Amino acid sequence: MRVAAVLAPATEGHLSIILRRYSDSGKPLTVGSAHTGLSRGAVPPADGQESLSLRAFEKKITLGKDALGKDFVVVSPSFTLREVQEFVEAKGLYY
C-alpha cells in the first residue's frame, strides 16, 4: 500500500483542525500511533489514502485516582505499551 500523505500534528489543536477537515470532507483517514508495526493499525485500507501519524504528538502520561479510589492512567497516543507498563511499574502498579 502506498500512502498519499502523512500528517503529523504535534498538539491537540493541530489534531483537532485535521480531524475537523477530514470529517467535514468525508475523506477517509487512517490513524496510527507509534507506527511500530506490531498491530498493523497504520496500514491504510486503500492505495492513495492519507495517514495520520501521532508519533510527534506531545507525550503526556499521568496517574490518578477515580471517585472510588481506583488508580487510572491517562496516556497520550505517542506512548508504546511498554512505556506505559514501565511507568505504572515504577509507581508500584501492574498493567
Side-chain angles (χ1 to χ4, degrees):
M1 299 279 168
R2 292 185 181 236
V3 177
V6 176
L7 308 169
T11 67
E12 290 177 24
H14 293 149
L15 177 61
S16 178
I17 291 167
I18 290 168
L19 293 177
R20 188 173 302 114
R21 286 183 182 164
Y22 275 82
S23 177
D24 290 348
S25 73
K27 260 177 104 170
L29 180 65
T30 301
V31 180
S33 184
H35 288 119
T36 61
L38 297 175
S39 68
R40 293 187 45 89
V43 177
D47 274 345
Q49 283 190 344
E50 284 84 9
S51 178
L52 178 67
S53 170
L54 300 176
R55 181 179 290 182
F57 210 79
E58 297 172 21
K59 290 186 96 162
K60 296 180 186 176
I61 186 167
T62 58
L63 178 65
K65 288 199 181 285
D66 67 13
L68 300 174
K70 294 185 179 183
D71 295 310
F72 67 89
V73 179
V74 178
V75 182
S76 70
S78 54
F79 279 87
T80 64
L81 183 54
R82 178 173 300 281
E83 289 173 314
V84 174
Q85 289 170 330
E86 290 171 354
F87 175 81
V88 298
E89 287 172 4
K91 306 287 185 187
L93 302 170
Y94 173 78
Y95 173 80

